[in-house]
């Protein structure tokens, strides 16, 4: 019984993504580094590493689009903006994946 309970606790917080993850929406820079977004800075930081927005000293805008496996409907679009102020950097990001029958969207605000 303890073994079953332990297995359930270990697997309870596990997320498995088979087809899609929003890490692909971070643009060509991230994909060229093996789909990592932790080390991004500058305008690309808003899409995957919001803590690195502090490196932006001017208004920054980034937009990306990708088509997975060259199949219509497996399109990923993302746009992000960083606006620095005297209070700190503010950011907004929008990402969309899918087509008319199935669509995932992700909206983000960062400070």
């Amino acid at each position: 019984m303890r073994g079953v309970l332990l297995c359930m606790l270990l697997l309870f917080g596990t997320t498995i993504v088979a087809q899609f993850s929003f890490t692909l929406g971070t643009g060509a820079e991230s994909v060229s580094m093996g789909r990592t977004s932790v080390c991004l800075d500058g305008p690309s930081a808003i899409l995957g590493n919001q803590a690195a927005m502090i490196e932006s000293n001017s208004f920054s805008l980034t937009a990306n689009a990708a088509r997975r496996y060259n199949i219509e409907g497996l399109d990923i679009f993302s746009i992000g903006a960083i606006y620095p102020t005297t209070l700190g950097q503010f950011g907004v990001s929008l990402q969309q994946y899918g087509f008319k029958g199935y669509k995932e969207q992700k909206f983000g605000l960062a400070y």
Side-chain angles (χ1 to χ4, degrees), residues 46-75:
I46 187 63
L47 298 174
N49 183 16
Q50 292 81 18
M53 289 188 332
I54 196 165
E55 299 293 328
S56 294
N57 295 323
S58 61
F59 177 76
S60 302
L61 182 69
T62 183
N64 303 297
R67 177 172 283 178
R68 296 189 70 186
Y69 311 114
N70 202 21
I71 299 173
E72 187 176 347
L74 295 182
D75 299 325

Side-chain angles (χ1 to χ4, degrees), residues 3 11 49 76 85 88 102:
L11 296 175
N49 183 16
I76 301 169
T85 65
Y102 175 78

